[in-house]
Amino acid sequence: MVDAVLVIAIALLVGAIVGAAVPMVPSGLLSLAGLVVYWVGAGSAELSALTFTVLALIAVITALVEFFGGSIAARAGGASWLTTAVAAVVGLLLMVVTGPLGLLVGLFGTVFVLEFVRGEELEGSARSAVYTTIGTLASTAVQVLLTASILLGFLVAVFVL
């Protein structure tokens, strides 16, 4: 039973790493699911409460980065909350149609156009759009690193310690 639970947990943790690079796949929540599956299925004997708590906290932080990273970057670039919300919706819709490139183009284009229409100068609109696009890419990179860290920590805790 524990072997099957271990395989499922590792599959979820590896899936979280892959999911971090794929839009619409909740990488932080997949990591958390993998940890919970193992914690419940194998019992706390093989994974200490401290290790579980630290890894679960990292998974929650990953989820927060995933959900709010692009918005924080857009706000840092000077975009309004309305622009940020509209850009997220347009980016997601374009991502469904054209894939990840559509997400990035949709974010950039929407922020640029809406900020320009809102009264920003060309330079300010471009700055907001670049911040949003780079922030989204950086958020993805952080998610990959965090989910890989969770997997590595889990493997060390289960197989080494």
Side-chain angles (χ1 to χ4, degrees):
M1 174 70 177
V2 173
D3 291 337
V5 168
L6 180 62
V7 169
I8 292 169
I10 290 174
L12 286 167
L13 293 170
V14 169
I17 296 170
V18 173
V22 177
M24 303 297 292
V25 178
S27 59
L29 297 179
L30 274 177
S31 288
L32 189 58
L35 295 169
V36 170
V37 162
Y38 189 76
W39 179 263
V40 172
S44 60
E46 300 209 23
L47 191 63
S48 74
L50 178 62
T51 302
F52 175 79
T53 302
V54 169
L55 293 176
L57 181 61
I58 295 170
V60 170
I61 290 169
T62 303
L64 292 173
V65 167
E66 181 176 5
F67 295 133
F68 300 112
S71 298
I72 291 169
R75 290 293 298 153
S80 70
W81 285 112
L82 178 61
T83 297
T84 302
V86 171
V89 171
V90 169
L92 290 174
L93 291 174
L94 284 175
M95 191 232 13
V96 170
V97 176
T98 61
L101 184 60
L103 172 69
L104 294 175
V105 170
L107 287 173
F108 183 90
T110 303
V111 170
F112 181 81
V113 168
L114 290 180
E115 286 300 298
F116 189 74
V117 167
R118 194 177 75 130
E120 286 287 330
E121 295 178 4
L122 187 62
E123 183 180 313
S125 299
R127 182 187 68 247
S128 294
V130 167
Y131 267 69
T132 302
T133 305
I134 290 174
T136 300
L137 292 171
S139 170
T140 299
V142 167
Q143 290 173 58
V144 169
L145 291 172
L146 288 173
T147 53
S149 298
I150 293 168
L151 175 62
L152 180 61
F154 176 81
L155 293 174
V156 167
V158 171
F159 291 111
V160 176
L161 300 178

